[in-house]
Amino acid sequence: MRSEKPRQIAARVLRLHAEGAGYLEDLLDHAQAAALSPPDRALAQELCFGVVRWQATLDWLIAQKTAGRPQKTPLQILLRLGLYQLFWLDRIPDHAAVNETVELAKEFGCGNQSGFINAVLRGCLREREATEQRLADLRTRHPALGHSHPDWLCDRWRNLWGDENLRRLMEWNNTPPPTYARLNTLRGTAEQLTAQWREEGVEFEPRQFDWTADGLVFELKSHPSLATLPSFQQGWFYIQDPSTLLAVRELDPQPGQAVLDLCAAPGGKTTYIAQLMNNQGTLMAQDTQIARRELIRENCARLGVTCAQLARPTTSLYAELSTPYDRILVDAPCTNTGVMRRRVDLRWRLRPEEIARMATAQVELLRDAATQLKPGGVLVYSTCSLEPEENQTVVQTLLAGQPALRLERERQLTPFADSVDGAYVARLTRTA
């Protein structure tokens, strides 16, 4: 049956993910290579992302119903999948969620456990009101478990921002993100783009932030597959969260300047820099991840960027970058804790020691970048991390050994204060 297909895909992807076969998004993309209809694709994604987001809470609920007995991985996944549909998705009828989860058991080698799955799911349904109350109580009594986040990370965030902002941040991370589009002025105007969208059946709403120009950012409310839209294929817009635009605005690249985008893949900031330069000047895009460099090339070609060139891949970041630059952007690799709602399985992959390891690498990256900056030039450091050790502390460590650099300003964007993904941006200048 057609309605079963998304659940079959979701169950298979979730099992592969639990076995460590790859990142969730990549596994889902691969599983959907055989074309699904847009509604089926959306349901499969919702099931995969939702189960992984709420994994800790789902496992707590399963433990409540099974006297804490550990279940084998395939069975645990099916129980998570069934309970997620019953208690987190309103649009799926209860009987369909139960029956189709039981049917999936046969495909997953758990046919002899079909009765057990049926009993657990129907038992929760019979006690729906009491179960929902227990889940609500859990969010108050044990917020990390109730909102399905690691304890260690919640303890950090509570110490930084307090209980209320912690709650708001966890709720943000558990909410599917909207889709934002940035206008590409190298192709046309906002009026031209929105007229094209109306013809293509795209529903949109203009959005503005204190660091974005009027008519630059749009939230896409409803749309056909983006890859099929002529406006996308012709490079009229780029999908990009507004938080990522702050770093380029602080960089303030001008036409005719020499600009280096040091960690450039996949090219969102690169193409926005070129847009502000009006394709005039020299823009060097560098990234050590050779597999992702092709994304920079593809995005530049689609968006009509002609002033950018790719630095040749090398084991040394700067072997090919001997020219001093007016502007340098270092959008550094980080723990990504500010974009956790987009990196669905990140909360379960991240370990506390990663923060210190990343910070060390970030300082070295900035020290190398500073050697490429002209006197009077601007160096912008940015991350999508919420952790001070990767942000303010990194900048202070850099400044302690670089007397020629001066911090002009810095800003931390947080979901609970700014209603965008988390990001940190620091603007530094070289005095001599």
Side-chain angles (χ1 to χ4, degrees), residues 180-182 209 211-212 216-217 238-251 261 265-273 276 329 331 336 338-339 342-343 380-385 413 420-425:
Y180 290 102
R182 167 181 55 87
F209 303 84
W211 61 90
T212 64
L216 179 69
V217 177
Y238 186 88
I239 298 300
Q240 195 165 14
D241 189 84
S243 64
T244 67
L245 305 179
L246 177 60
V248 179
R249 278 295 176 182
E250 287 290 2
L251 188 70
D261 185 0
K269 294 182 178 70
T270 303
T271 54
Y272 187 34
I273 292 170
L276 296 181
L329 173 62
D331 184 41
N336 301 300
V339 293
R342 297 182 186 277
R343 308 277 178 99
V380 168
Y381 171 64
S382 67
T383 74
C384 57
S385 171
L413 298 177
V420 294
D421 285 343
Y424 171 81
V425 176

Side-chain angles (χ1 to χ4, degrees), residues 5-40:
K5 193 172 184 181
R7 293 172 178 83
Q8 293 168 339
I9 289 176
R12 186 161 57 252
V13 167
L14 289 167
R15 183 170 181 175
L16 289 169
H17 180 259
E19 293 169 350
Y23 293 138
L24 184 65
E25 293 87 345
D26 295 339
L27 294 171
L28 186 59
D29 287 343
H30 181 73
Q32 293 176 358
L36 288 173
S37 68
D40 280 355

Side-chain angles (χ1 to χ4, degrees), residues 137-153:
D137 292 342
L138 186 66
R139 289 192 291 272
T140 301
R141 177 169 46 84
H142 191 162
L145 185 54
H147 292 277
S148 194
H149 280 66
D151 283 326
W152 71 268
L153 194 54

Side-chain angles (χ1 to χ4, degrees), residues 191-253:
E191 291 75 16
Q192 291 171 315
L193 173 60
T194 54
Q196 180 73 11
W197 274 344
R198 291 186 185 98
E199 292 182 7
E200 295 170 347
V202 177
E203 297 180 14
F204 59 89
E205 180 181 337
R207 296 292 304 274
Q208 190 167 5
F209 303 84
D210 64 66
W211 61 90
T212 64
D214 186 34
L216 179 69
V217 177
F218 299 86
E219 182 178 346
L220 304 187
K221 298 289 190 178
S222 176
H223 55 82
S225 173
L226 291 175
T228 67
L229 300 180
S231 58
F232 177 84
Q233 296 166 354
Q234 295 163 13
W236 283 74
F237 66 93
Y238 186 88
I239 298 300
Q240 195 165 14
D241 189 84
S243 64
T244 67
L245 305 179
L246 177 60
V248 179
R249 278 295 176 182
E250 287 290 2
L251 188 70
D252 192 26

Side-chain angles (χ1 to χ4, degrees), residues 328-348:
I328 298 177
L329 173 62
V330 181
D331 184 41
C334 66
T335 57
N336 301 300
T337 54
V339 293
M340 194 163 281
R341 70 172 178 172
R342 297 182 186 277
R343 308 277 178 99
V344 180
D345 53 359
L346 173 64
R347 69 188 72 180
W348 309 125

